[in-house]
Coordinates of all heavy atoms in Angstrom, one line a residue:
M650 N 119.7 131.2 96.0 CA 120.2 129.9 95.5 C 119.3 128.8 96.1 O 119.0 128.7 97.3 CB 121.6 129.7 95.9 CG 122.2 128.4 95.5 SD 122.5 128.3 93.8 CE 124.2 128.8 93.6
P651 N 118.8 127.9 95.2 CA 117.9 126.8 95.7 C 118.7 125.8 96.5 O 120.0 125.8 96.3 CB 117.4 126.2 94.4 CG 118.2 126.7 93.3 CD 118.9 127.9 93.7
R652 N 118.0 125.1 97.3 CA 118.7 124.0 98.1 C 119.3 123.0 97.1 O 118.9 122.9 96.0 CB 117.6 123.3 98.9 CG 117.3 124.0 100.2 CD 116.2 123.3 100.9 NE 116.0 121.9 100.6 CZ 114.8 121.4 100.6 NH1 113.7 122.1 100.8 NH2 114.6 120.1 100.3
P653 N 120.4 122.3 97.5 CA 121.1 121.4 96.6 C 120.1 120.4 96.0 O 120.3 120.0 94.8 CB 122.1 120.7 97.5 CG 122.4 121.7 98.6 CD 121.1 122.5 98.8
A654 N 119.1 119.9 96.8 CA 118.2 118.9 96.2 C 117.4 119.4 95.1 O 116.8 118.7 94.3 CB 117.4 118.3 97.3
Q655 N 117.2 120.8 95.1 CA 116.4 121.4 94.0 C 117.1 121.9 92.9 O 116.6 122.6 92.0 CB 115.5 122.5 94.7 CG 114.5 121.9 95.7 CD 113.9 123.0 96.6 OE1 114.5 124.0 96.7 NE2 112.8 122.6 97.2
R656 N 118.4 121.7 92.8 CA 119.2 122.2 91.7 C 119.3 121.3 90.5 O 120.2 121.3 89.8 CB 120.7 122.5 92.2 CG 120.8 123.8 93.0 CD 122.2 124.0 93.4 NE 122.3 124.6 94.7 CZ 123.3 124.5 95.6 NH1 124.3 123.8 95.2 NH2 123.3 125.1 96.7
T657 N 118.3 120.5 90.4 CA 118.2 119.6 89.2 C 117.1 120.1 88.3 O 116.0 120.6 88.8 CB 118.0 118.2 89.6 OG1 117.7 117.4 88.5 CG2 116.8 118.0 90.6
R658 N 117.3 119.9 87.0 CA 116.2 120.4 86.1 C 115.1 119.3 85.9 O 114.2 119.5 85.2 CB 116.8 120.7 84.7 CG 117.8 121.8 84.7 CD 117.3 123.1 85.3 NE 116.4 123.8 84.5 CZ 115.9 125.0 84.7 NH1 116.4 125.7 85.7 NH2 115.1 125.5 83.9
S659 N 115.3 118.2 86.6 CA 114.2 117.2 86.4 C 113.1 117.4 87.4 O 112.1 116.7 87.4 CB 114.8 115.8 86.7 OG 115.3 115.7 88.0
R660 N 113.2 118.5 88.2 CA 112.1 118.9 89.1 C 111.3 120.0 88.4 O 112.0 121.0 87.9 CB 112.5 119.4 90.4 CG 112.9 118.3 91.4 CD 113.4 118.9 92.6 NE 113.8 117.8 93.5 CZ 113.1 117.5 94.6 NH1 112.1 118.2 94.9 NH2 113.4 116.5 95.4
K661 N 110.0 119.9 88.2 CA 109.2 120.9 87.6 C 109.2 122.2 88.5 O 109.1 122.0 89.7 CB 107.8 120.5 87.4 CG 107.6 119.6 86.2 CD 107.2 120.4 85.0 CE 107.0 119.5 83.8 NZ 107.0 120.2 82.6
R662 N 109.3 123.3 87.9 CA 109.3 124.6 88.6 C 108.1 125.4 88.3 O 107.6 125.3 87.1 CB 110.5 125.4 88.2 CG 111.9 124.8 88.6 CD 113.0 125.3 87.8 NE 114.2 124.6 88.1 CZ 115.3 125.2 88.5 NH1 115.4 126.5 88.5 NH2 116.3 124.4 88.8
S663 N 107.6 126.1 89.3 CA 106.5 127.0 89.0 C 106.7 128.3 89.7 O 106.7 128.3 91.0 CB 105.1 126.4 89.3 OG 105.1 126.1 90.7
P664 N 106.9 129.4 89.0 CA 107.1 130.7 89.7 C 105.8 131.1 90.3 O 104.8 131.0 89.8 CB 107.5 131.6 88.5 CG 107.1 130.9 87.3 CD 107.0 129.5 87.5
K665 N 106.0 131.6 91.6 CA 104.8 132.1 92.3 C 105.0 133.6 92.7 O 106.2 134.0 93.0 CB 104.6 131.3 93.6 CG 104.4 129.8 93.4 CD 103.1 129.5 92.8 CE 102.9 128.0 92.6 NZ 101.7 127.7 91.9
R666 N 103.9 134.3 92.7 CA 104.0 135.7 93.2 C 103.7 135.8 94.7 O 102.8 135.0 95.2 CB 103.0 136.6 92.5 CG 103.1 136.6 90.9 CD 104.4 137.2 90.5 NE 104.6 138.6 90.9 CZ 105.6 139.4 90.6 NH1 106.5 138.9 89.8 NH2 105.6 140.6 91.0
L667 N 104.4 136.6 95.4 CA 104.2 136.7 96.8 C 103.3 138.0 97.1 O 103.2 138.9 96.2 CB 105.5 136.9 97.5 CG 106.4 135.7 97.5 CD1 107.7 136.0 98.1 CD2 105.8 134.5 98.1
P668 N 102.6 138.0 98.2 CA 101.7 139.1 98.5 C 102.4 140.5 98.5 O 101.8 141.5 98.1 CB 101.1 138.8 99.9 CG 101.3 137.4 100.0 CD 102.5 137.0 99.2
G669 N 103.6 140.5 98.9 CA 104.3 141.8 98.9 C 104.9 142.2 97.6 O 105.6 143.2 97.5
G670 N 104.6 141.5 96.5 CA 105.1 141.8 95.2 C 106.4 141.1 94.8 O 106.8 141.2 93.6
G671 N 106.9 140.3 95.7 CA 108.1 139.6 95.3 C 107.8 138.3 94.6 O 106.6 138.1 94.2
A672 N 108.8 137.6 94.2 CA 108.6 136.3 93.5 C 109.4 135.2 94.1 O 110.4 135.5 94.7 CB 109.0 136.5 92.0
T673 N 108.9 134.0 94.0 CA 109.6 132.9 94.6 C 109.3 131.7 93.6 O 108.5 131.8 92.7 CB 109.2 132.5 96.0 OG1 110.0 131.5 96.5 CG2 107.7 132.1 96.1
M674 N 110.0 130.6 93.8 CA 109.9 129.4 93.0 C 109.4 128.3 93.8 O 109.9 128.0 94.9 CB 111.3 129.1 92.4 CG 111.2 128.2 91.2 SD 110.4 128.8 89.8 CE 111.6 129.9 89.1
H675 N 108.4 127.6 93.3 CA 108.0 126.3 93.9 C 108.4 125.2 93.1 O 108.5 125.3 91.9 CB 106.4 126.3 94.1 CG 106.0 127.1 95.3 ND1 104.7 127.0 95.8 CD2 106.6 128.0 96.0 CE1 104.6 127.9 96.8 NE2 105.7 128.5 96.9
Y676 N 108.8 124.1 93.7 CA 109.3 122.9 93.0 C 108.4 121.7 93.2 O 108.0 121.4 94.4 CB 110.7 122.5 93.6 CG 111.7 123.6 93.4 CD1 111.9 124.7 94.2 CD2 112.6 123.6 92.2 CE1 112.8 125.7 94.0 CE2 113.5 124.6 92.0 CZ 113.6 125.6 92.9 OH 114.5 126.6 92.7
K677 N 108.1 121.0 92.1 CA 107.2 119.8 92.2 C 108.1 118.6 92.4 O 109.3 118.7 92.1 CB 106.5 119.7 90.9 CG 105.5 120.8 90.6 CD 104.1 120.4 90.8 CE 103.1 121.5 90.9 NZ 102.9 122.3 89.8
K678 N 107.5 117.5 92.9 CA 108.3 116.3 93.1 C 108.7 115.7 91.7 O 108.0 115.9 90.7 CB 107.5 115.3 93.9 CG 107.3 115.7 95.3 CD 107.1 114.5 96.2 CE 107.2 114.8 97.6 NZ 105.9 114.8 98.3
E679 N 109.8 115.0 91.7 CA 110.3 114.4 90.4 C 109.3 113.3 90.1 O 108.8 112.6 90.9 CB 111.7 113.8 90.6 CG 112.7 114.9 90.7 CD 114.1 114.3 90.7 OE1 114.3 113.2 90.1 OE2 115.0 114.9 91.4
K680 N 109.1 113.2 88.7 CA 108.2 112.2 88.2 C 108.9 110.8 88.3 O 110.1 110.8 88.0 CB 107.8 112.5 86.8 CG 106.6 113.4 86.7 CD 106.1 113.4 85.3 CE 104.9 114.4 85.1 NZ 104.5 114.5 83.7
T681 N 108.2 109.8 88.6 CA 108.7 108.4 88.5 C 108.1 107.7 87.4 O 106.9 107.9 87.1 CB 108.5 107.7 89.8 OG1 107.1 107.7 90.1 CG2 109.2 108.3 90.9
G682 N 108.8 106.9 86.7 CA 108.3 106.1 85.6 C 107.6 104.9 86.1 O 107.9 104.4 87.2
A683 N 106.8 104.3 85.3 CA 106.1 103.0 85.6 C 107.1 101.9 85.6 O 108.0 101.9 84.7 CB 105.0 102.7 84.7
P684 N 107.0 100.9 86.4 CA 108.0 99.8 86.4 C 107.8 99.0 85.1 O 106.6 98.8 84.6 CB 107.6 98.9 87.6 CG 106.3 99.4 88.1 CD 106.1 100.7 87.6
R685 N 108.9 98.5 84.5 CA 108.8 97.9 83.2 C 109.4 96.5 83.2 O 110.3 96.3 84.0 CB 109.5 98.8 82.1 CG 108.7 100.1 81.9 CD 109.3 100.9 80.8 NE 108.5 102.0 80.5 CZ 107.5 102.0 79.6 NH1 107.3 100.9 78.8 NH2 106.8 103.0 79.4
C686 N 109.0 95.7 82.2 CA 109.6 94.4 82.1 C 111.0 94.5 81.7 O 111.4 95.3 80.9 CB 108.8 93.6 81.0 SG 109.5 92.0 80.5
A687 N 111.9 93.6 82.3 CA 113.3 93.6 82.1 C 113.7 93.1 80.7 O 114.8 93.3 80.2 CB 114.0 92.8 83.1
R688 N 112.7 92.4 80.0 CA 113.1 91.8 78.7 C 112.5 92.6 77.6 O 113.1 92.8 76.6 CB 112.5 90.3 78.7 CG 112.9 89.5 77.6 CD 112.7 88.1 77.9 NE 112.9 87.3 76.7 CZ 111.9 86.7 76.0 NH1 110.7 86.8 76.4 NH2 112.2 85.9 74.9
C689 N 111.2 93.0 77.7 CA 110.5 93.6 76.5 C 110.1 95.1 76.8 O 109.5 95.7 76.0 CB 109.3 92.8 76.1 SG 108.0 92.9 77.3
S690 N 110.3 95.6 78.0 CA 110.0 97.0 78.4 C 108.6 97.3 78.4 O 108.2 98.5 78.4 CB 110.8 98.0 77.5 OG 112.1 97.7 77.5
R691 N 107.7 96.3 78.4 CA 106.3 96.5 78.6 C 106.0 97.0 80.0 O 106.7 96.6 81.0 CB 105.5 95.2 78.4 CG 104.0 95.3 78.5 CD 103.4 94.0 78.6 NE 103.7 93.1 77.5 CZ 102.7 92.4 76.9 NH1 101.5 92.4 77.3 NH2 103.1 91.5 75.9
V692 N 105.0 97.9 80.2 CA 104.7 98.4 81.6 C 104.1 97.3 82.4 O 103.2 96.6 81.9 CB 103.7 99.6 81.5 CG1 103.3 100.0 82.9 CG2 104.4 100.8 80.8
L693 N 104.7 97.0 83.6 CA 104.2 96.0 84.4 C 102.9 96.4 85.1 O 102.9 97.5 85.7 CB 105.2 95.6 85.5 CG 106.5 95.0 84.9 CD1 107.5 94.7 86.1 CD2 106.3 93.7 84.2
S694 N 101.9 95.6 85.1 CA 100.7 95.9 85.8 C 100.7 95.4 87.2 O 101.4 94.4 87.5 CB 99.5 95.3 85.0 OG 99.6 94.0 84.9
G695 N 99.9 96.0 88.1 CA 99.8 95.6 89.4 C 100.9 96.1 90.3 O 100.9 95.7 91.5
I696 N 101.8 96.9 89.8 CA 102.9 97.5 90.6 C 102.8 99.0 90.5 O 102.9 99.5 89.4 CB 104.2 96.9 90.2 CG1 104.2 95.4 90.3 CG2 105.4 97.5 91.0 CD1 105.3 94.8 89.4
P697 N 102.7 99.7 91.6 CA 102.7 101.2 91.5 C 104.0 101.8 91.2 O 105.1 101.3 91.6 CB 102.2 101.6 92.9 CG 102.7 100.5 93.8 CD 102.6 99.2 93.0
G698 N 104.0 102.8 90.4 CA 105.3 103.5 90.0 C 105.6 104.6 91.0 O 105.4 105.8 90.6
L699 N 105.9 104.3 92.2 CA 106.2 105.3 93.2 C 107.7 105.5 93.3 O 108.5 104.8 92.8 CB 105.6 104.8 94.6 CG 104.2 104.5 94.6 CD1 103.8 103.9 96.0 CD2 103.3 105.7 94.4
A700 N 108.0 106.6 94.1 CA 109.4 106.8 94.4 C 109.9 105.8 95.3 O 109.2 105.1 96.0 CB 109.6 108.2 95.0
Q701 N 111.2 105.5 95.3 CA 111.8 104.5 96.2 C 111.5 104.7 97.6 O 111.3 103.8 98.4 CB 113.3 104.5 96.0 CG 113.8 103.8 94.7 CD 113.3 102.3 94.7 OE1 113.6 101.6 95.6 NE2 112.6 101.9 93.7
S702 N 111.4 106.0 98.0 CA 111.1 106.3 99.4 C 109.7 105.8 99.8 O 109.5 105.5 100.9 CB 111.3 107.8 99.7 OG 110.5 108.5 98.8
K703 N 108.8 105.9 98.8 CA 107.4 105.4 99.1 C 107.3 103.9 98.9 O 106.5 103.3 99.6 CB 106.5 106.1 98.1 CG 106.4 107.6 98.3 CD 105.5 108.1 99.4 CE 105.3 109.6 99.4 NZ 106.4 110.3 100.0
M704 N 108.1 103.3 98.0 CA 108.0 101.9 97.8 C 108.4 101.1 99.1 O 107.9 100.1 99.3 CB 108.9 101.5 96.7 CG 108.4 101.9 95.3 SD 106.9 101.1 94.8 CE 107.5 99.5 94.1
G705 N 109.4 101.7 99.8 CA 109.8 101.1 101.0 C 108.7 100.9 102.1 O 108.8 100.0 103.0
K706 N 107.7 101.7 102.0 CA 106.6 101.7 103.0 C 105.6 100.6 102.6 O 104.7 100.3 103.4 CB 105.9 103.0 103.1 CG 106.9 104.1 103.4 CD 106.3 105.0 104.5 CE 107.4 106.0 105.0 NZ 107.1 106.6 106.2
L707 N 105.6 100.1 101.4 CA 104.6 99.1 100.9 C 105.0 97.7 101.5 O 106.1 97.5 101.8 CB 104.6 99.0 99.4 CG 104.2 100.3 98.7 CD1 104.1 100.1 97.2 CD2 102.8 100.8 99.1
T708 N 104.0 96.9 101.5 CA 104.2 95.5 101.9 C 104.8 94.7 100.7 O 104.7 95.2 99.6 CB 102.9 94.8 102.4 OG1 102.0 94.8 101.3 CG2 102.3 95.5 103.5
A709 N 105.4 93.6 101.0 CA 106.0 92.8 99.9 C 105.0 92.5 98.8 O 105.4 92.5 97.6 CB 106.7 91.5 100.5
S710 N 103.8 92.1 99.2 CA 102.8 91.7 98.2 C 102.3 92.9 97.3 O 101.8 92.7 96.2 CB 101.6 91.0 98.8 OG 101.0 91.9 99.7
Q711 N 102.5 94.1 97.8 CA 102.1 95.3 97.0 C 103.2 95.7 96.0 O 103.0 96.5 95.1 CB 101.8 96.5 98.0 CG 100.5 96.3 98.7 CD 100.4 97.4 99.8 OE1 101.4 97.8 100.4 NE2 99.2 97.8 100.1
K712 N 104.4 95.2 96.2 CA 105.5 95.6 95.4 C 105.8 94.6 94.2 O 106.6 94.9 93.4 CB 106.8 95.6 96.2 CG 106.9 96.8 97.1 CD 108.2 96.9 97.8 CE 108.1 96.5 99.2 NZ 109.2 96.7 100.1
R713 N 105.1 93.4 94.2 CA 105.3 92.5 93.2 C 104.0 91.7 93.0 O 103.1 91.7 93.8 CB 106.5 91.5 93.6 CG 106.2 90.7 94.8 CD 107.4 89.9 95.2 NE 107.7 88.9 94.1 CZ 107.3 87.7 94.1 NH1 106.5 87.2 95.0 NH2 107.7 86.9 93.1
V714 N 104.0 91.0 91.8 CA 102.9 90.2 91.4 C 103.3 88.8 91.9 O 104.4 88.4 91.8 CB 102.6 90.2 89.9 CG1 101.5 89.3 89.5 CG2 102.4 91.6 89.5
Q715 N 102.3 88.0 92.4 CA 102.6 86.7 93.0 C 102.8 85.6 92.0 O 101.9 84.8 91.8 CB 101.5 86.3 94.0 CG 101.4 87.3 95.2 CD 102.7 87.4 96.0 OE1 103.2 86.4 96.4 NE2 103.2 88.6 96.1
R716 N 103.8 85.7 91.2 CA 104.2 84.6 90.3 C 105.7 84.6 90.2 O 106.4 85.6 90.6 CB 103.5 84.8 88.9 CG 104.1 85.8 88.0 CD 103.5 85.7 86.6 NE 102.4 86.5 86.4 CZ 102.3 87.8 86.0 NH1 103.5 88.4 85.7 NH2 101.2 88.4 85.9
M717 N 106.3 83.6 89.5 CA 107.7 83.6 89.3 C 108.2 84.9 88.6 O 107.6 85.3 87.7 CB 108.1 82.4 88.4 CG 107.9 81.0 89.1 SD 108.1 79.8 87.8 CE 109.8 79.9 87.5
H718 N 109.2 85.5 89.1 CA 109.8 86.7 88.5 C 108.8 87.8 88.5 O 108.9 88.7 87.6 CB 110.4 86.4 87.1 CG 111.4 85.4 87.1 ND1 112.7 85.6 87.6 CD2 111.4 84.1 86.7 CE1 113.4 84.5 87.4 NE2 112.6 83.6 86.9
G719 N 107.8 87.8 89.3 CA 106.8 88.9 89.4 C 107.5 90.2 89.8 O 108.4 90.2 90.7
G720 N 107.2 91.2 89.1 CA 107.9 92.5 89.4 C 109.1 92.7 88.6 O 109.7 93.8 88.6
Q721 N 109.5 91.6 87.8 CA 110.7 91.7 87.0 C 110.3 91.5 85.5 O 110.7 92.3 84.6 CB 111.8 90.7 87.3 CG 112.1 90.6 88.8 CD 112.9 91.9 89.2 OE1 113.7 92.4 88.5 NE2 112.6 92.4 90.4
L722 N 109.5 90.5 85.3 CA 109.2 90.1 83.9 C 107.7 90.2 83.7 O 106.9 90.0 84.7 CB 109.6 88.7 83.6 CG 111.1 88.4 83.6 CD1 111.3 86.9 83.3 CD2 111.8 89.2 82.5
C723 N 107.2 90.5 82.5 CA 105.8 90.5 82.3 C 105.3 89.1 82.1 O 106.1 88.2 81.9 CB 105.4 91.4 81.0 SG 106.0 90.7 79.5
H724 N 104.0 88.9 82.0 CA 103.4 87.5 81.9 C 103.8 86.9 80.6 O 104.1 85.7 80.5 CB 101.9 87.6 82.0 CG 101.2 88.2 80.9 ND1 101.2 89.6 80.7 CD2 100.6 87.7 79.8 CE1 100.6 89.9 79.6 NE2 100.2 88.8 79.0
A725 N 103.9 87.7 79.5 CA 104.2 87.1 78.2 C 105.6 86.6 78.1 O 105.9 85.5 77.6 CB 103.9 88.1 77.1
C726 N 106.6 87.4 78.7 CA 108.0 87.0 78.7 C 108.2 85.8 79.5 O 109.0 84.9 79.2 CB 108.9 88.1 79.1 SG 109.0 89.5 77.9
L727 N 107.5 85.7 80.7 CA 107.7 84.6 81.6 C 107.2 83.3 80.8 O 107.8 82.3 80.9 CB 106.9 84.8 82.9 CG 107.0 83.6 83.8 CD1 108.4 83.4 84.3 CD2 106.0 83.8 85.0
K728 N 106.1 83.4 80.1 CA 105.5 82.3 79.4 C 106.5 81.8 78.3 O 106.8 80.6 78.2 CB 104.2 82.7 78.7 CG 103.4 81.6 78.0 CD 102.1 82.3 77.5 CE 101.3 81.3 76.7 NZ 100.1 81.9 76.1
D729 N 107.1 82.7 77.6 CA 108.1 82.4 76.6 C 109.3 81.7 77.2 O 109.8 80.6 76.7 CB 108.7 83.6 75.9 CG 107.7 84.2 74.9 OD1 106.6 83.5 74.6 OD2 107.9 85.3 74.4
L730 N 109.8 82.2 78.3 CA 111.0 81.7 78.9 C 110.8 80.3 79.6 O 111.6 79.5 79.5 CB 111.6 82.7 80.0 CG 112.1 84.0 79.4 CD1 112.5 85.0 80.5 CD2 113.3 83.7 78.5
L731 N 109.6 80.1 80.1 CA 109.2 78.8 80.7 C 109.2 77.8 79.6 O 109.6 76.7 79.7 CB 107.9 78.9 81.4 CG 108.0 79.6 82.8 CD1 106.6 79.7 83.4 CD2 108.9 78.8 83.7
K732 N 108.6 78.2 78.4 CA 108.5 77.2 77.3 C 109.9 76.8 76.8 O 110.2 75.7 76.6 CB 107.8 77.9 76.1 CG 106.3 77.8 76.2 CD 105.8 78.4 74.9 CE 104.3 78.6 74.9 NZ 103.8 79.3 73.7
L733 N 110.8 77.8 76.7 CA 112.2 77.5 76.3 C 112.8 76.6 77.3 O 113.5 75.7 76.9 CB 112.9 78.9 76.1 CG 112.7 79.7 74.9 CD1 113.4 81.0 75.0 CD2 113.1 78.9 73.7
A734 N 112.7 76.9 78.6 CA 113.3 76.1 79.6 C 112.9 74.7 79.5 O 113.7 73.7 79.7 CB 113.1 76.7 80.9
V735 N 111.6 74.4 79.3 CA 111.0 73.1 79.3 C 111.5 72.3 78.1 O 111.9 71.2 78.1 CB 109.5 73.1 79.4 CG1 108.9 71.8 79.0 CG2 109.1 73.6 80.7
R736 N 111.6 73.1 76.9 CA 112.0 72.4 75.7 C 113.5 72.1 75.6 O 113.9 71.1 75.0 CB 111.6 73.3 74.5 CG 110.2 73.4 74.2 CD 109.8 74.4 73.2 NE 108.4 74.5 73.1 CZ 107.8 75.5 72.4 NH1 108.5 76.4 71.8 NH2 106.5 75.6 72.4
E737 N 114.3 72.9 76.3 CA 115.7 72.6 76.3 C 116.1 71.7 77.4 O 117.3 71.3 77.4 CB 116.5 74.0 76.4 CG 116.4 74.8 75.2 CD 117.0 76.2 75.4 OE1 117.5 76.5 76.5 OE2 116.8 77.0 74.4
R738 N 115.2 71.3 78.3 CA 115.6 70.4 79.4 C 115.9 69.0 78.9 O 115.0 68.5 78.1 CB 114.4 70.4 80.4 CG 114.7 69.7 81.7 CD 113.6 69.7 82.6 NE 112.4 69.2 81.9 CZ 111.2 69.1 82.5 NH1 111.0 69.6 83.7 NH2 110.2 68.6 81.9
P739 N 117.0 68.4 79.3 CA 117.2 67.0 78.8 C 116.2 66.0 79.5 O 115.9 66.2 80.7 CB 118.7 66.7 79.3 CG 118.9 67.8 80.4 CD 118.0 68.9 80.1
V740 N 115.8 65.1 78.7 CA 114.8 64.1 79.2 C 115.5 62.9 79.8 O 116.4 62.4 79.3 CB 113.8 63.7 78.1 CG1 112.8 62.7 78.6 CG2 113.1 64.9 77.6
Ligands
LIG1372 ZN1 108.2 91.3 78.9

């Protein structure tokens, strides 16, 4: 029986032969998706798509782009939202 952490089908499995003729299973790490824009789902550039355990080891500037809503919105969505905000602002 595999360990509880390996009992998920989202881990790739590769069967391996052992020198004595037996067989065992090796498990690959789960794939992580690229970070995406919260509004249009475009892949965000400049941010690595690492597992949460690895993201914690990065510095703050490696986890986000240095602009408003960097790491949440793409540049095009931020541009749209800033335009809307300025146009709707009372003068
Ligand atoms: Zn976007």
Side-chain angles (χ1 to χ4, degrees):
M650 178 69 94
R652 278 173 24 215
Q655 293 167 338
R656 281 184 216 153
T657 171
R658 297 307 288 192
S659 60
R660 283 175 180 252
K661 280 269 184 196
R662 295 157 186 232
S663 62
K665 301 288 180 190
R666 302 297 301 183
L667 294 175
T673 187
M674 193 66 75
H675 282 194
Y676 297 85
K677 298 252 163 68
K678 289 208 168 107
E679 287 186 32
K680 274 190 180 174
T681 56
R685 292 181 173 271
C686 172
R688 188 164 172 250
C689 70
S690 304
R691 183 197 300 228
V692 173
L693 295 177
S694 60
I696 301 161
L699 300 176
Q701 281 300 307
S702 56
K703 298 276 189 282
M704 287 295 274
K706 302 227 172 197
L707 299 182
T708 60
S710 62
Q711 288 171 324
K712 285 184 258 190
R713 62 185 299 268
V714 181
Q715 298 301 306
R716 83 169 84 91
M717 293 167 69
H718 303 286
Q721 308 293 323
L722 295 175
C723 69
H724 68 282
C726 287
L727 179 65
K728 189 176 173 184
D729 286 350
L730 292 173
L731 284 177
K732 274 187 192 173
L733 282 175
V735 167
R736 287 173 188 170
E737 290 173 1
R738 186 179 57 181
V740 179

